[in-house]
Amino acid sequence: EAGVAQSPRYKIIEKRQSVAFWCNPISGHATLYWYQQILGQGPKLLIQFQNNGVVDDSQLPKDRFSAERLKGVDSTLKIQPAKLEDSAVYLCASSLGVLASDGADTQYFGPGTRLTVL
Amino acid sequence: AQSVAQPEDQVNVAEGNPLTVKCTYSVSGNPYLFWYVQYPNRGLQFLLKYITGDNLVKGSYGFEAEFNKSQTSFHLKKPSALVSDSALYFCAVRDNNAGNNRKLIWGLGTSLAVNP
């Protein structure tokens, strides 16, 4: 079974530029997550989708970050404009998530995109 | 409030010796507990989880973890460490009673170094 795919793996941009990340979840997984992981810290949830609807985006900086999951499969996360503090690894994860409230649902992660903002 | 603590930033162990990576948690209801491992420049890989039932959970790569409700702990263990186990380990908890939007709460991670 193919895992979660993400691209690009690495991205270097100047501050105030825009950037987009792409994620393709495991086939059949209804729930998709975007996390931000700053060096030395645990992952921080940015947004959670159940199919193509948003379940939780409470920690997404909506003035500069946006995400969409059209057709309930692939997803893109965009930052516009980027700031220095956005330098991090952006992780995408997916889970079966038949029920958004299933606490036992296991998340499976992609390799991440390492973003450096200069 | 939900929280997870990994009290050790780094654990060093000799190859062949048993290893333990500690995790304690705080939730108001029943916990779902997870361990993930992260190798350099890689995403997080799922190791094991506790939902209910037997307190000793066995997972991937020979790892196991013991759920201790009275001590609110979920320590990760392996009887004999390998150099290839050197990585960053994350504990995470979800409160089963926290309503419909139950986020995973993550620890800060423990760096495990296995010395040859």
Side-chain angles (χ1 to χ4, degrees):
Chain A
E1 164 181 279
V4 176
Q6 289 187 249
S7 68
R9 290 295 313 277
Y10 304 91
K11 190 73 177 180
I12 300 173
I13 61 173
E14 302 275 335
K15 61 182 178 184
R16 291 188 289 274
Q17 286 186 324
S18 63
V19 63
F21 312 127
W22 173 83
C23 174
N24 181 247
I26 293 172
S27 177
H29 279 194
T31 306
L32 185 146
Y33 313 79
W34 282 103
Y35 286 90
Q36 180 192 61
Q37 187 180 22
I38 293 173
L39 188 65
Q41 298 182 18
K44 170 189 168 185
L45 180 68
L46 294 175
I47 190 166
Q48 176 182 343
F49 292 96
Q50 176 80 5
N51 296 309
N52 59 354
V54 175
V55 173
D56 185 346
D57 64 356
S58 57
Q59 297 192 93
L60 186 74
K62 298 180 185 64
D63 57 334
R64 298 185 301 106
F65 286 64
S66 64
E68 60 182 11
R69 191 184 184 198
L70 300 176
K71 301 181 183 179
V73 181
D74 293 8
S75 177
T76 56
L77 176 70
K78 297 180 182 178
I79 307 175
Q80 182 179 8
K83 292 185 175 181
L84 296 177
E85 58 261 36
D86 297 332
S87 294
V89 176
Y90 291 84
L91 296 166
C92 179
S94 71
S95 65
L96 276 173
V98 174
L99 294 173
S101 57
D102 182 2
D105 200 24
T106 299
Q107 297 178 23
Y108 296 92
F109 286 79
T113 297
R114 182 177 297 277
L115 174 66
T116 302
V117 182
L118 303 176
Chain B
Q2 306 168 61
S3 66
V4 174
Q6 294 183 241
E8 300 157 318
D9 290 338
Q10 180 149 348
V11 170
N12 294 293
V13 64
E15 187 175 28
N17 282 1
L19 70 86
T20 299
V21 183
K22 296 179 181 177
C23 172
T24 58
Y25 67 90
S26 175
V27 297
S28 58
N30 294 318
Y32 290 146
L33 292 150
F34 300 78
W35 274 103
Y36 284 81
V37 60
Q38 187 172 34
Y39 297 100
N41 299 314
R42 303 275 294 275
L44 291 116
Q45 295 181 33
F46 169 71
L47 282 177
L48 52 79
K49 68 181 178 183
Y50 171 81
I51 303 171
T52 186
D54 194 347
N55 289 342
L56 185 64
V57 179
K58 293 188 183 296
S60 306
Y61 313 121
F63 284 94
E64 58 189 28
E66 185 166 14
F67 171 63
N68 187 317
K69 188 172 183 177
S70 63
Q71 297 185 6
T72 61
S73 67
F74 190 56
H75 300 333
L76 182 70
K77 300 181 180 183
K78 187 173 182 180
S80 179
L82 300 172
V83 173
S84 57
D85 292 330
S86 299
L88 194 55
Y89 290 80
F90 288 95
C91 180
V93 67
R94 185 184 280 125
D95 187 340
N96 194 31
N97 292 352
N100 287 332
N101 294 336
R102 289 177 288 198
K103 281 196 285 279
L104 265 183
I105 306 301
W106 294 84
L108 293 180
T110 298
S111 178
L112 172 67
V114 181
N115 307 304

